[in-house]
Amino acid sequence: MAKLHVSTTINGEPQEFLCDADQSMLDVLRGPLGLTGAKEGCGTGDCGACTITLNGRIVCSCLMLAAEAEGQKIDTIEGMAGEELHPLQQKFLESAALQCGICTPGVLMAAKALLEKNPDPTEHEVRFWLAGNLCRCTGYDKIIRAVLDTAADMRAAR
């Protein structure tokens, strides 16, 4: 089977890769592109460990065909921090809102997308946005609190 050539933007950088027609974006990210932050938890879109953003919308990369990235803008956890950690990443560390780390990249990507859309979410909204991200190690309270505290800090810094 012939490989497909895909040109896209990942974390603000132009990228090109070859993929099979049935290859998932997760497999390409973790394989040829070497971006291993998105994790494969379930492979069926149920856990959120592989969450990325596609043109600003959260997507389970295990359910996205890599060929669909053609001409699109993708952001992964590797692009979240700049010179310093993103405020969400810093707050997760300070709040001990993570444990094994499998779910953390997906949770952070979903939370960042939420705060970009709504800088003043309610607890209910945070829980709704993170409902597709399963954590098997911790309770969700520290995660929810970290997102709400980050939102408050970011609003205060404006």
Side-chain angles (χ1 to χ4, degrees):
M1 180 183 343
K3 298 273 187 183
L4 301 172
H5 178 262
V6 177
S7 296
T8 188
T9 301
I10 300 178
N11 298 324
E13 297 292 325
Q15 293 281 341
E16 294 186 24
F17 58 83
L18 297 175
C19 65
D20 294 328
D22 62 350
Q23 197 168 11
S24 75
M25 192 67 223
L26 177 62
D27 287 341
V28 169
L29 288 170
R30 293 187 58 79
L33 297 179
L35 299 172
T36 59
K39 307 297 186 227
E40 181 167 6
C42 66
T44 58
D46 294 319
C47 74
C50 67
T51 299
I52 60 172
T53 60
L54 175 68
N55 301 323
R57 296 187 60 190
I58 55 176
V59 172
C60 289
S61 62
C62 71
L63 296 180
M64 178 184 168
L65 292 173
E68 293 178 292
E70 176 64 38
Q72 306 301 313
K73 178 183 177 289
I74 293 173
D75 289 300
T76 70
I77 191 68
E78 287 87 354
M80 192 169 186
E83 295 278 324
E84 298 178 10
L85 292 177
H86 185 279
L88 276 166
Q89 293 170 309
Q90 186 62 45
K91 189 62 74 177
F92 268 56
L93 287 173
E94 292 170 6
S95 304
L98 53 104
Q99 214 161 13
C100 82
I102 297 294
C103 72
T104 307
V107 170
L108 286 168
M109 292 302 295
K112 182 176 182 270
L114 165 62
L115 296 184
E116 287 172 352
K117 184 173 180 69
N118 178 3
D120 191 13
T122 65
E123 180 177 335
H124 178 77
E125 289 169 318
V126 173
R127 289 183 182 277
F128 179 82
W129 271 71
L130 299 183
N133 297 86
L134 302 180
C135 176
R136 293 170 178 92
C137 296
T138 69
Y140 294 92
D141 290 334
K142 288 182 180 180
I143 293 170
I144 302 302
R145 178 61 31 217
V147 174
L148 290 169
D149 289 350
T150 301
D153 290 350
M154 290 174 75
R155 285 191 312 274
R158 289 186 181 161

